[in-house]
Amino acid sequence: AQKITQTQPGMFVQEKEAVTLDCTYDTSDQSYGLFWYKQPSSGEMIFLIYQGSYDEQNATEGRYSLNFQKARKSANLVISASQLGDSAMYFCAMREGQGEYGNKLVFGAGTILRVKS
Amino acid sequence: EAGVTQFPSHSVIEKGQTVTLRCDPISGHDNLYWYRRVMGKEIKFLLHFVKESKQDESGMPNNRFLAERTGGTYSTLKVQPAELEDSGVYFCASSQGASGGRSVGETQYFGPGTRLLVL
């Protein structure tokens, strides 16, 4: 079964500094996708970034980048130049393969990030 | 473009009552998913519609939960009768899905969730 592990329940970062949120995954499938979502205090889930298992380059989206280390099965999110608005819960999620049914997301427990001014 | 919307945003009911949650996906998205986050636990998949058909309902906890998507547009999730352990946040997500939702890279866009409290 798939599993996503986020080992950091909470993180602090100083405004304008970079921060890395850890995510490791467990899968026996060769084809899978990794996602990061942000959940601010208002509650909505905002898609941030996607990495495919066959993608050779690390994904980047503005200040977000994904440090994908396939051999280590890790997909850490890096936020550069942190802003106060980055304070939120961050979830790592995975979709496996192309099974018989549509591919649901499996989520980690989340990491709460607080940006200090 | 309007995002995924959910109604109500909050619901407080007594044990044994019925509650119906509604989700309106992004227009044109064939795939609609329901997820749930119970307090202190991970977000868990409940079920997946492709248009009006249930593609995967392996995450539905028991037969007190009934999901429908008549006409392939909005979806409802009914809990009847509600129990204390049903409390949590219910999220809906949608994706475009010409692949029927099977592409590993297909992004699911989430709604703001419905916060359900069963007393």
Side-chain angles (χ1 to χ4, degrees):
Chain A
Q2 309 172 47
K3 186 176 179 181
I4 297 286
T5 302
Q6 294 181 254
T7 57
Q8 305 153 315
M11 290 278 288
F12 282 99
V13 64
Q14 195 66 38
E15 193 178 10
K16 300 181 184 178
E17 292 185 350
V19 63
T20 298
L21 306 184
D22 294 342
C23 173
T24 58
Y25 58 91
D26 185 23
T27 179
S28 57
D29 212 307
Q30 296 301 309
S31 176
Y32 51 90
L34 296 153
F35 300 80
W36 278 91
Y37 287 85
K38 171 185 178 182
Q39 186 182 39
S41 57
S42 53
E44 73 270 32
M45 294 274 284
I46 303 167
F47 165 71
L48 294 179
I49 196 166
Y50 161 77
Q51 179 85 42
S53 58
Y54 292 117
D55 294 341
E56 294 184 353
Q57 303 272 3
N58 284 345
T60 60
E61 289 285 349
R63 293 186 299 110
Y64 304 109
S65 61
L66 203 152
N67 184 1
F68 182 47
Q69 299 189 36
K70 195 170 182 177
R72 295 185 178 183
K73 293 188 175 179
S74 74
N76 298 339
L77 176 70
V78 180
I79 305 174
S80 63
S82 297
Q83 302 172 356
L84 295 178
D86 293 335
S87 294
M89 174 78 90
Y90 289 81
F91 291 99
C92 179
M94 179 170 68
R95 295 181 77 175
E96 269 187 338
Q98 295 182 1
E100 180 180 356
Y101 300 108
N103 293 305
K104 60 198 178 214
L105 291 174
V106 175
F107 284 85
T111 296
I112 298 175
L113 176 67
R114 288 288 176 257
V115 180
K116 299 185 290 185
S117 59
Chain B
E1 178 183 292
V4 177
T5 58
Q6 293 186 243
F7 182 83
S9 59
H10 295 78
S11 181
V12 181
I13 61 173
E14 292 186 346
K15 176 182 172 181
Q17 290 186 323
T18 297
V19 63
T20 300
L21 313 181
R22 172 171 170 145
C23 168
D24 287 79
I26 293 172
S27 178
H29 281 194
D30 287 341
N31 294 286
L32 188 150
Y33 302 80
W34 284 98
Y35 293 86
R36 175 175 79 166
R37 188 181 188 203
V38 173
M39 182 67 72
K41 299 195 174 181
E42 287 94 348
I43 300 169
K44 295 285 191 184
F45 167 81
L46 295 177
L47 88 159
H48 168 210
F49 284 98
V50 178
K51 297 184 181 179
E52 67 275 10
S53 300
K54 290 177 185 174
Q55 184 77 3
D56 180 1
E57 52 185 331
S58 61
M60 294 288 264
N62 51 61
N63 59 10
R64 295 186 293 104
F65 288 75
L66 175 65
E68 295 180 327
R69 193 183 181 194
T70 307
T73 54
Y74 71 91
S75 174
T76 58
L77 179 64
K78 181 190 286 188
V79 185
Q80 180 182 27
E83 298 290 344
L84 299 180
E85 63 264 24
D86 300 332
S87 296
V89 183
Y90 289 76
F91 290 102
C92 175
S94 72
S95 67
Q96 193 163 12
S99 62
R102 296 181 186 185
S103 167
V104 290
E106 190 173 286
T107 298
Q108 295 178 23
Y109 295 94
F110 281 73
T114 293
R115 282 143 190 82
L116 174 65
L117 179 59
V118 183
L119 301 175

